[in-house]
Amino acid sequence: MEKDNLYQYLLMLGDNSMILGHRLSELCGHGPTLETDIALTNISLDLFGQVRSYFQYAAKLKGGDSSEDKIAFLRYENQHKNVLLVEQPNTDLAHVFTRQFLFDAFHKLLLEDLKTSKDETIQAIAIKSLKEVDYHLRFSAQWMKRLGDGTEESHAKMQTALNHLYPYVYEFFRATDVEKDMKSQGIGVDLEKIQKSYFMMVNDVINASTLTIPETKPRQAEGKIGRHSEQLGYILSDFQYMQRAYPDMVW
Amino acid sequence: MQEGEIHIEHKEIREALFSVTDPEIPVLSVLEMGIVRDVQVENSKVHIKITPTYSGCPAMDTIAQDIKFAVDGKGFETEIELVLAPAWTTDWITVEGRKKLEEYGIAAPLESSLDKRALIDGERIVKCTNCGSTNTEVKSQFGSTACKALFTCKDCLEPFDYFKCLK
Ligand SMILES: [Zn+2]
């Protein structure tokens, strides 16, 4: 049971990076400029690197014929534990940067806390990933400011994206049973503790971007227990295509 | 010896490792990059620990294979283990490695011992690999590979790669 909670926790950590990484990979070759295109796909690559570390560890815990690839490519929709924010579509660049920023800020605080996890492997992954996520956050916060405090049009687009995506961030801090258990064991993050820092950090950047913090209610969101928006199904049909069409294929 | 540098007793193994380069930066050996973290030799069995520069570094599998091939070639039976802790830092690139990076056209991260003025607004002062000017600016934090950022020189106007500082 204990081992199972750790396994589920690893899926949650990995799925956030995997689904966001996939969303960013969809932009490969479609960025507005070469630099942005390369940056977004580089971030995707970092995220997938992190996913591999989480899933290799999860596969080891599970034993048997489990493997990182099976975990990544052969689960059903309701077995994915990512938050709904990361599966939201690449509507326009404003959505891409805003989604990235809202996640990066959480990701950074999460990893900073996991640096002292009692689980040695999670600790090592967190220390390694944090160095990368620092760059992600610098990139996305910079774009928030550039476009938010940019032209009238870019400002309006950013505000629309923010209004749409901000209600999703509350899901980060609604602890599931798995998260509560992991926290009590000193393995997982203390969500209450990082919540305050999160809103301070995020709202600071939103203000500096001359954008308005939306006064919307938190959105009903239960991705962490496997209830997803329709978006995830489309993502998985693309993401899992090769393994479903050609079972057990390898490179 | 520099921080993070590892000592390899066995001359043949050291030479074999010096011949293996990062495919994305072919002038640097895996030793100069600081990717090789530990080498244990027991008779003909060698156990080598390597660590990735970035989590998603797509070259890691190739590097592991190349190392195995090179060391096996000296008559050993090599086992490679990928370790994540302690996490790789640009401080582990050797002095010789930094020099080679510069000559290759990739600006190297400054040594950590240099004074704090090297940091401006979280950015390091980076020397142009073409003309040596420090009047440079970051174009993009993300360059042609995960480990590089893109800079341009405001004096000679040339763009160049910078090996991103990871601490
Ligand atoms: Zn120059």
Side-chain angles (χ1 to χ4, degrees), chain B residues 128-133 153-158 160:
Chain B
C128 169
T129 54
N130 186 46
C131 74
S133 161
C153 176
K154 290 198 220 168
D155 284 334
C156 73
L157 305 179
E158 284 295 321
F160 61 94

Side-chain angles (χ1 to χ4, degrees), chain A residues 122-251:
Chain A
I122 291 185
Q123 190 186 91
I125 300 171
I127 292 171
K128 177 100 204 137
S129 310
L130 186 59
K131 298 179 180 201
E132 298 157 1
V133 171
D134 273 336
Y135 273 103
H136 304 174
L137 180 61
R138 218 191 286 175
F139 172 82
S140 60
Q142 195 190 60
W143 276 107
M144 290 298 289
K145 291 176 196 164
R146 261 201 219 178
L147 295 179
D149 193 12
T151 64
E152 214 173 289
E153 188 182 350
S154 73
H155 177 89
K157 284 189 171 174
M158 289 303 277
Q159 189 65 54
T160 304
L162 191 62
N163 292 347
H164 176 213
L165 296 170
Y166 197 83
Y168 286 101
V169 302
Y170 300 95
E171 186 188 3
F172 291 139
F173 307 105
R174 258 178 252 136
T176 61
D177 290 343
V178 170
E179 288 175 296
K180 285 176 194 158
D181 179 43
M182 286 297 104
K183 183 205 146 196
S184 72
Q185 290 190 51
I187 295 174
V189 73
D190 184 349
L191 290 170
E192 254 171 67
K193 203 179 88 188
I194 65 173
Q195 180 166 11
K196 212 177 142 202
S197 324
Y198 179 80
F199 283 104
M200 260 168 52
M201 187 198 280
V202 161
N203 292 350
D204 264 0
V205 172
I206 293 175
N207 286 328
S209 313
T210 72
L211 295 165
T212 312
I213 298 157
E215 279 180 41
T216 38
K217 286 206 186 95
R219 223 189 138 87
Q220 163 114 13
E222 294 179 314
K224 292 196 277 193
I225 55 168
R227 295 196 185 119
H228 292 278
S229 67
E230 67 169 326
Q231 300 299 336
L232 189 66
Y234 292 106
I235 292 176
L236 294 182
S237 67
D238 186 17
F239 186 70
Q240 299 187 343
Y241 172 79
M242 288 300 270
Q243 276 302 320
R244 299 294 183 191
Y246 305 95
D248 298 327
M249 72 149 284
V250 284
W251 289 113

Side-chain angles (χ1 to χ4, degrees), chain A residues 39-90:
Chain A
L40 292 170
T41 39
N42 259 312
I43 294 173
S44 174
L45 185 62
D46 284 344
L47 292 172
F48 273 106
Q50 297 161 14
V51 174
R52 290 193 63 187
S53 299
Y54 288 125
F55 287 179
Q56 279 165 5
Y57 183 32
K60 211 168 95 189
L61 283 179
K62 189 140 199 199
D65 66 346
S66 183
S67 72
E68 54 174 311
D69 282 349
K70 282 192 173 142
I71 296 174
F73 294 119
L74 295 177
R75 277 178 300 145
Y76 295 112
E77 213 173 323
N78 61 6
Q79 293 169 316
H80 287 79
K81 312 291 180 189
N82 59 281
V83 293
L84 299 195
L85 175 73
V86 297
E87 64 196 48
Q88 296 311 304
N90 302 328

